Amino acid sequence: MAAAPTDVMPVVPVARGRRPLTGHGRQLNGDALAFVRQLRAYGPMAKIFIGPRPVYVVNSPELIREVLAVQARGFDKGAMFDTLRGPLGNGLITASGDVHRRRRRLIQPGFHHERIERYTDIMSERSTARSASWHPDTVVDLVPEINRLTMDILLRTLFATDPGPALHAAVKEWLSVKYRSMRLALSPLQAWAERVPVLPGWRPPDGGPLNRLRAAQQRIIDDYRADGGDRGDLLSMLLLADGPEGAMDDAEVADELITMFLAGTGTTSAAMAFAVHEVSSRPEVQARLQEEVDTVLGGRPPGFRDLRSLTYTRQVLTETLRLHPVSWLSMRRTVRPLTLGGTELPAGTDVFFSPYALHRDAELYEDPDRFAPERWAGGAARPARGTYLPFGAGNRLCVGEEFAWAQLTIALACFTSRWTLAPADGQPTRTLVGTVIRPERVPVTLTPRRTGRP
Ligand code: HEM
């Protein structure tokens, strides 16, 4: 007898264009942003294939909330993070279950308001120094400049005293290794290699850079342990954090330091690069930003207390992260059988969602491809729940969110109070798609301003 209509499981549509061996590999490794965006047309959930592996792509804000919050305990982080665990260790971003819960409780206080207040002094001083080093009427590609600034700020936030050349060299070497975690997670060949063990799949990269970074970190950790005090930096917080299940040991602290290097640099740099790209190509937006920084700062460097007054600056950044959510594709994997949107998913099922596609949905945002900071003016313009997710949500919400907002706001205020930025050539800026999206280059001409200089 046929089941009553309410018992019928919804059939999740398979996206068009699936090929026998590669599945949707061609689309994912081609114009992936356009592909994830058009998946929204399939309804609340769509099914795609990476080689033989099915992946459920969740489109509706309600179901994304199920994944990130309501049923969060039923999910692990999945494909991309499995490949990252080797080179990254078991830090907050890759850890799961109880290990994650304990770490999160220990680490979160390091990102509380009072700590951020101290870090903003570093952000302001370093952003001012970096923008002061640029020369008038020259062309500068701001991408490498922003990368250096972000790493500089993170290192000074982690270590109150200069950690020395050995650590700088070890971090640089470790970051230069390409882990290709997103590409592997989307690779049909990798998916087949997991299923057919004789195929040549991914092997962990040479552990040398990681081992050298760990050794350099250990010397610093030893020094901090011997001293025992709180130096007001993030490393002190990691070492001194304590809870019912005890403090972190050296290996755990080392994993968390490595996690901060990775999670706190590429993301913030990419967001900042997109922001200056948008601002430099929109004179009217830049003029409003400059008017605001001149009024609020009156020529002095920005600080923690200015963050809440720099409201238009924040709108510009909010809009930047809507249009360019650098974490463009998020992944989870079910750790037990569960039901999502009426569909039963066995344990081990991959589930993706794309903040990029969500943020550019015409049903959620009017004229979604237009850069319009004014859409965030006033409290009334808050996004509906689950429709704005540049930092994720739920138990895995970015622990560095407040840190990132502070850094982006302060850097943008510093740059625009000292300089007027204009695009240096008519070439369109390409968006590179990897673990994060980022602009390939942002060449600008710098004209000094007479007013408002910090
Ligand atoms: C604009 C800048 C940033 C963006 C867009 C961003 C985005 C994100 C997103 C989307 C997640 C959640 C990933 C998921 O659910 O799968 C995340 C997690 C995380 N982020 Fe960020 N992030 C930024 C800056 C930072 C900074 C500055 C730090 C640290 C200094 C940081 C540290 C972390 C950590 C440790 C996690 C893992 C949290 C957990 O799983 O409990 N992030 N970030």
Side-chain angles (χ1 to χ4, degrees), residues 82-290:
D82 289 347
T83 60
L84 271 177
R85 207 162 284 127
L88 207 62
N90 205 18
L92 194 59
I93 213 158
T94 45
S96 50
D98 289 341
V99 176
H100 175 262
R101 276 189 282 283
R102 168 173 168 261
R103 294 281 184 87
R104 182 93 199 191
R105 271 198 297 272
L106 290 170
I107 291 166
Q108 194 125 355
F111 289 91
H112 277 173
H113 235 53
E114 319 79 67
R115 303 292 285 207
I116 301 284
E117 189 166 355
R118 293 194 209 185
Y119 308 150
T120 49
D121 293 342
I122 299 170
M123 294 167 184
S124 182
E125 196 245 318
R126 298 320 300 161
S127 303
T128 304
R130 173 68 43 193
S131 58
S133 73
W134 301 334
H135 298 292
D137 306 312
T138 51
V139 174
V140 181
D141 180 3
L142 287 182
V143 167
E145 286 297 302
I146 289 168
N147 290 348
R148 279 184 211 111
L149 172 64
T150 306
M151 182 50 86
D152 184 22
I153 290 174
L154 190 71
L155 281 171
R156 287 169 195 261
T157 321
L158 283 167
F159 311 109
T161 35
D162 185 352
L167 186 101
H168 285 282
V171 172
K172 204 167 159 199
E173 184 197 21
W174 179 75
L175 281 174
S176 72
V177 179
K178 300 273 176 281
Y179 297 107
R180 306 194 192 287
S181 45
M182 179 63 87
R183 191 179 299 179
L184 284 162
L186 303 183
S187 154
L189 189 64
Q190 180 66 16
W192 278 109
E194 281 162 17
R195 189 168 282 200
V196 186
V198 290
L199 286 177
W202 176 77
R203 298 281 171 275
D206 160 35
L210 178 64
N211 293 339
R212 283 189 282 282
L213 178 56
R214 280 189 193 284
Q217 289 186 167
Q218 190 57 52
R219 282 191 287 277
I220 300 170
I221 291 172
D222 289 343
D223 182 47
Y224 271 62
R225 292 252 192 240
D227 178 58
D230 181 355
R231 303 189 192 183
D233 53 14
L234 263 173
L235 178 56
S236 302
M237 176 282 294
L238 293 173
L239 291 167
L240 297 172
D242 209 349
E245 293 141 282
M248 285 184 274
D249 63 24
D250 287 1
E252 291 176 307
V253 170
D255 279 352
E256 295 307 343
L257 282 177
I258 290 168
T259 297
M260 298 298 160
F261 290 137
L262 197 80
T265 51
T267 45
T268 316
S269 297
M272 193 64 220
F274 277 123
V276 291
H277 165 66
E278 293 293 354
V279 167
S280 62
S281 44
R282 289 183 170 71
E284 70 294 352
V285 170
Q286 186 163 197
R288 254 192 92 178
L289 273 178
Q290 289 172 329

Side-chain angles (χ1 to χ4, degrees), residues 77 92-93 100 104 111 154 259-260 263-264 267-268 271 326-327 332 390-392 395-400 403-404:
K77 294 201 67 171
L92 194 59
I93 213 158
H100 175 262
R104 182 93 199 191
F111 289 91
L154 190 71
T259 297
M260 298 298 160
T267 45
T268 316
V326 297
S327 272
R332 293 291 187 269
F391 293 95
N395 64 342
R396 311 296 302 233
L397 175 76
C398 175
V399 79
F403 185 104

Side-chain angles (χ1 to χ4, degrees), residues 57-71:
V57 180
V58 180
N59 289 324
S60 84
E62 295 73 28
L63 290 184
I64 293 175
R65 203 174 103 73
E66 284 279 318
V67 175
L68 295 183
V70 181
Q71 302 202 57

